[in-house]
Amino acid sequence: MKFDTPATTNPIDRLKVIGQPHDRIDGPLKTTGTAHYAYERHDAVPNHVYGYIVPATIAKGRVVNIDTATARRAPGVLAIVTAKEAGPLTKGQYNTAKLLGGPEVQHYHQALAVVVAETFEEARAAAGLVRVDYARSPGAFDLAAAKGRAVKPEDGQPDTAVGDFAGAFASAPVTLDAMYTTPDQSHAMMEPHATIAAWEGDKLTLWTANQMIHWGKGDVAKTLGLPPDNVRLVSPYIGGGFGGKLFVRADAILAALGAKAAGRPVAVALPRPVMFNNTTHRPATIQRIRIGATPDGKITAIGHESWSGDLPGGGPETAVQQTRLLYAGANRMTATRLATLDLPEGNAMRAPGEASGLMALEIAMDEMAEKLKLDPVDFRVRNDTQEDPEKPGRRFSQRNFVQCMRKGAEQFGWSKRSATPGKMRDGAWLVGMGVASAFRNNLVMKSGARVRLGTDGRATVETDMTDIGTGSYTIIAQTAAEMLGLPLSQVSVVLGDSSFPVSSGSGGQWGGNSSTAGVYAACVKLREAIAGALGMDAASAVFDDGKVSAGGRSVPIAEAAKSGEIVAEDSMEYGDLEKTFQQSTFGAHFVEVAVHAATGEIRVRRMLAVCAAGRILNPKSARSQVIGAMTMGVGAALMEDLYVDKRLGFFVNHDLAGYEVPVHADIPHQEVIFLDEADPVSSPMKAKGVGELGLCGVAAAIANAVYNATGVRVRDYPVTLDKLLDRLPTV
Amino acid sequence: MDITDQLNISRRGFLKLTAVSATVAATPPLVARAAVPDVARAPVTQQVAMEVNGKPATLSLDTRTTLLDALREHMHLTGTKKGCDHGQCGACTVLVDGRRINSCLTLAVMHEGSKVTTIEGLGTPDALHPLQAAFIKHDGYQCGYCTPGQICSAVGVLDEIRRDVPSHVTADIGAKATFSTAELRERMSGNICRCGAYSNIVEAITEVQEGRA
Ligand code: FES
Ligand code: FES
């Protein structure tokens, strides 16, 4: 099915099942420990053995010698695979560095070998006996030092320019020109990257944790030189990904290589302390923002430049993206520069681009509002635009940004905020409020599904879509139930298997809308087949309450399948509506913090997000996506920082004790409001993404609240107390 | 008496020893040679008998096997999760003799005679424990990977408050421990949820504590 004109009325609009806050259908399994994640497939692979990774302990250079002799003699060892044993491997399309290194080492903790043994304890012990001698080469590890050598990336759209930015900025009555930095961050999902691999002849099955099954299947095949049809990925439950599991990682390749060498199925999980340097991360940025405005707060010039680094062949953090679309202003420029760094591979982490970009832009907007003596909500509202500011005439499909700001301000009690910083006290605490805009583009991806109507009248949906905590199981079941007029309990959903139709996968907040649109397409086909089987006119048939009705006749849906299951498969593809309309999601984040007047300790007291993101397919799971993202935003604002050892080239705090993420004590009760929207331009579901929008802007809202509390402006994340201490108001 | 005196190891020596073993286990050190022993130790196996979810279990285990891996890899009770294997995340929380512990930080052979309760022992999809039901109702999870640990930890927390065990945020340790959101957040802070379901988890546990589930 092709979606190339805006949606009109369709069965989804009934909102009997979809759009309702149903409990997750996978809840009973997840809460009882009976949902089996990748490393837990004793049911599917009863007799697997264990592989343990040997990671490189230099950042750049060569393996001079890798001595596995002692390890091979260790008890229980079945096989050791290094680059030499593995033979030639091709780098996957989505990988920047090779997943099995050697002799060349491209980054710290790049895998150099896998040791396979009967037990986990034996494999781990033997891995510690592998001796590696290195010849270390000098590398570039310091973004600030490499910034001057950064170049304009060849791919994508690194730079844009409209009007005369330089002239307008120079002549603007009120201006801001400031630098901001964001650190490297880690996905740090709770389930480590893990895979069990089993070969049957030259056919390989991987039970793995992967967000994008089809990409993964392709890259496993490419890496190992197999026909894609010989590779099967199975990933029904995934313990979080946030972009870290978009791509095939070393666990999958090492498990496959280890299983081949040992002649046994092999399970490999990346040890937590290896994950931070072995896998991908959100790259650090240095950003310069210039804003010029008239005294009444109209932006006349806006410029955003970003520098980030990556391994050779890698890409930039696209931190200037939102600045092209968020605020009005006739004269504009953005520029993206990429430096070569020999740190681990940088790549997508939840809301890549916007998350980092808004961390800077939304502090800049707060600073600019202060210069203009305008309320920060008002300043943002004054610079709303209903069309793409770089392409006048190209409208947003929907843009209720101003409503988000206004609704949030009212709900949060924004009017109680003191415009002068450091003026609100609560005992020993300085109290402040902050606001930031949320913005993230809405992406749509082709997505397919197969739907079966069984002889018992139950429907089963099969798609290679994944549920990484996003609620895919539930919204897919709701979609099928709505389309077929069945109660939710009559629908089963099976996900994450590459033998199912190819879906959008989970990433870029496209999964919810795109995957359900694919299910919609398959259900439209199934409805036709069912109507046909019942001798009814498909166009006028109504599917409701377990029955199909047309032409004065009404029969139970199961009747259609009484002589055999009915199966339909289709996918939703998209025309160029995204060119005609700019599709984006909008929001506003409001935060109240308290900063201890003596110690500088920062506590987040209240958080509110107002989101305008099209139709909300399940308000309960969507709200969870947003509060989870807000929590990650607290991490970004206050603690998350992969600390770079600039001499040796690695992330020092590479475990969950050193890389701090928010815990219970850091997070207050969180409020989320969804504006009542339905965007017919996005898909027949009229939904948009929301899982990343919730993160966009949060950190800046917190930084702005800290400023409002203390009068201390921190432009280098994370905002930690050491950056406040010597500048706090005297007690 | 100082335990290091008994063992006749100086404190500095003890620190050095633990530092080396921690490095080997966590990440091969930069100067690989210095820390790598020449020969592999033959595994030592030992039998251990415990009661898991009300049923007796006797296992013959490599003595290096953690309680977590005994549950996951030997008893196939994979509801208990491994998030870090280093006591940093709480995903592996189980109840041992009624108290919550990180099962990755304890060796299975240390639990002869212990009564272990895992998430599978609290309830099943058809017969949910009140906390499991409340987590579903309040959407106190997303990916679900931290969830068994959160729920086991919550069982332990509610019991600790009943047993009058004070916490870091208890204002008056002489007074009877009481349930509050601040107490709950403090006591649950060893259980990381990267999906960020905290706000909902607190509501789920509070509802059970208040007996409304
Ligand atoms: S696995 Fe035990 S605390 Fe993380
Ligand atoms: S639900 Fe995913 S880590 Fe808590």
Side-chain angles (χ1 to χ4, degrees), chain A residues 189-190 239-240 242 468, chain B residues 140-147 150 192-197 201:
Chain A
M189 72 299 277
M190 292 308 300
F242 314 114
I468 58 175
Chain B
Y141 58 98
Q142 290 169 41
C143 76
Y145 201 76
C146 74
T147 313
Q150 303 276 357
I192 297 175
C193 176
R194 184 57 161 163
C195 293
I201 293 172

Side-chain angles (χ1 to χ4, degrees), chain A residues 422-730:
Chain A
K423 287 283 176 268
M424 281 165 75
R425 285 293 286 246
D426 178 5
W429 299 86
L430 297 158
V431 179
M433 293 190 207
V435 66
S437 306
F439 174 93
R440 170 84 174 143
N441 280 333
N442 180 59
L443 307 171
V444 286
M445 295 269 277
K446 181 180 174 186
S447 194
R450 183 158 55 223
V451 186
R452 303 171 182 276
L453 179 69
T455 50
D456 54 359
R458 281 188 69 84
T460 303
V461 184
E462 298 167 346
T463 162
D464 84 357
M465 181 60 188
T466 49
D467 189 330
I468 58 175
T470 37
S472 310
Y473 276 106
T474 311
I475 56 172
I476 284 173
Q478 287 176 275
T479 302
E482 192 75 63
M483 289 299 288
L484 301 174
L486 289 170
L488 194 59
S489 59
Q490 288 293 98
V491 180
S492 306
V493 178
V494 207
L495 298 182
D497 189 322
S498 63
S499 65
F500 296 154
V502 175
S503 74
S504 63
S506 302
Q509 80 168 9
W510 63 61
N513 178 49
S514 302
S515 69
T516 52
V519 173
Y520 172 97
C523 284
V524 167
K525 248 199 185 161
L526 185 63
R527 285 164 59 110
E528 285 164 8
I530 290 169
L534 296 172
M536 291 181 179
D537 167 43
S540 62
V542 175
F543 290 67
D544 196 18
D545 231 358
K547 293 191 284 291
V548 190
S549 314
R553 212 153 58 88
S554 184
V555 287
I557 192 168
E559 283 283 300
K562 70 173 189 292
S563 52
E565 175 183 71
I566 305 184
V567 186
E569 183 178 331
D570 201 359
S571 54
M572 185 64 76
E573 291 178 70
Y574 295 85
D576 53 8
L577 276 177
E578 59 183 342
K579 292 204 186 74
T580 326
F581 295 96
Q582 175 58 38
Q583 293 182 40
S584 306
T585 61
F586 302 89
H589 287 286
F590 291 82
V591 175
E592 181 181 298
V593 302
V595 180
H596 196 276
T599 65
E601 179 187 352
I602 305 164
R603 309 287 308 161
V604 177
R605 287 191 168 184
R606 294 196 294 137
M607 299 183 85
L608 165 70
V610 186
C611 302
R615 174 175 283 156
I616 300 302
L617 299 176
N618 180 326
K620 187 179 263 193
S621 55
R623 178 179 173 277
S624 284
Q625 281 288 287
V626 176
I627 67 167
M630 290 156 79
T631 302
M632 197 173 266
V634 173
L638 300 180
M639 59 196 88
E640 292 185 39
D641 183 357
L642 282 170
Y643 216 84
V644 180
D645 184 319
K646 294 180 183 130
R647 303 157 306 145
L648 299 175
F650 69 104
F651 299 128
V652 180
N653 47 343
H654 53 81
D655 62 20
L656 287 172
Y659 185 79
E660 293 181 10
V661 299
V663 299
H664 275 279
D666 297 314
I667 302 300
H669 175 74
Q670 294 163 319
E671 294 281 350
V672 181
I673 297 170
F674 294 114
L675 296 191
D676 193 12
E677 275 193 347
D679 190 337
V681 171
S682 71
S683 80
M685 304 303 295
K686 304 176 187 172
K688 293 196 248 188
V690 76
E692 299 189 332
L693 178 69
L695 172 61
C696 293
V698 179
I702 295 170
N704 294 341
V706 169
Y707 174 75
N708 184 244
T710 62
V712 182
R713 184 65 78 183
V714 179
R715 298 185 185 85
D716 301 298
Y717 289 98
V719 183
T720 46
L721 57 83
D722 53 298
K723 295 172 187 168
L724 305 178
L725 259 187
D726 61 344
R727 292 191 283 159
L728 283 177
T730 43

Side-chain angles (χ1 to χ4, degrees), chain A residues 13 123 184 278 301 386 529 535 559 575 654 712:
Chain A
D13 295 321
D184 297 287
N278 175 273
Q386 290 295 317
E559 283 283 300
H654 53 81
V712 182

Side-chain angles (χ1 to χ4, degrees), chain B:
Chain B
M1 199 199 317
D2 188 334
I3 191 163
T4 53
D5 292 338
Q6 284 180 359
L7 297 174
N8 201 18
I9 304 172
S10 73
R11 187 171 272 114
R12 181 185 297 268
F14 178 74
L15 286 175
K16 252 198 225 152
L17 268 176
T18 43
V20 168
S21 51
T23 321
V24 171
T27 50
L30 204 63
V31 191
R33 291 239 142 151
V36 174
D38 270 337
V39 282
R41 194 170 62 105
V44 179
T45 50
Q46 193 177 310
Q47 222 178 48
V48 58
M50 49 184 129
E51 191 185 299
V52 180
N53 297 331
K55 289 188 212 104
T58 303
L59 301 162
S60 179
L61 293 173
D62 186 318
T63 50
R64 296 169 293 187
T65 309
T66 59
L67 177 59
L68 173 60
D69 282 331
L71 292 168
R72 281 168 65 83
E73 305 305 326
H74 296 267
M75 291 180 243
H76 296 183
L77 290 169
T78 53
T80 309
K81 303 304 181 196
K82 186 186 279 191
C84 69
D85 219 8
H86 287 72
Q88 300 168 346
C89 77
C92 64
T93 306
V94 298
L95 298 152
V96 174
D97 299 325
R99 299 202 184 184
R100 55 185 178 139
I101 62 166
N102 287 340
S103 61
C104 71
L105 284 188
T106 188
L107 297 171
V109 293
M110 294 157 67
H111 291 283
E112 179 69 29
S114 292
K115 288 188 169 52
V116 180
T117 304
T118 69
I119 191 72
E120 292 95 338
L122 289 178
T124 61
D126 299 322
L128 297 167
H129 182 278
L131 276 163
Q132 292 169 327
F135 268 62
I136 295 173
K137 178 177 163 194
H138 291 275
D139 215 35
Y141 58 98
Q142 290 169 41
C143 76
Y145 201 76
C146 74
T147 313
Q150 303 276 357
I151 292 173
C152 286
S153 205
V155 170
V157 164
L158 296 182
D159 185 55
E160 280 157 33
I161 295 174
R162 266 194 293 277
R163 285 193 287 114
D164 207 13
V165 179
S167 85
H168 174 66
V169 298
T170 310
D172 177 3
I173 59 166
K176 178 111 185 62
T178 51
F179 181 90
S180 69
T181 306
E183 282 283 356
L184 186 57
R185 290 199 180 114
E186 166 62 24
R187 291 171 193 262
M188 289 297 295
S189 279
N191 290 86
I192 297 175
C193 176
R194 184 57 161 163
C195 293
Y198 298 127
S199 186
N200 290 352
I201 293 172
V202 167
E203 277 162 31
I205 301 172
T206 303
E207 181 176 278
V208 171
Q209 161 69 15
E210 290 172 356
R212 288 194 274 109

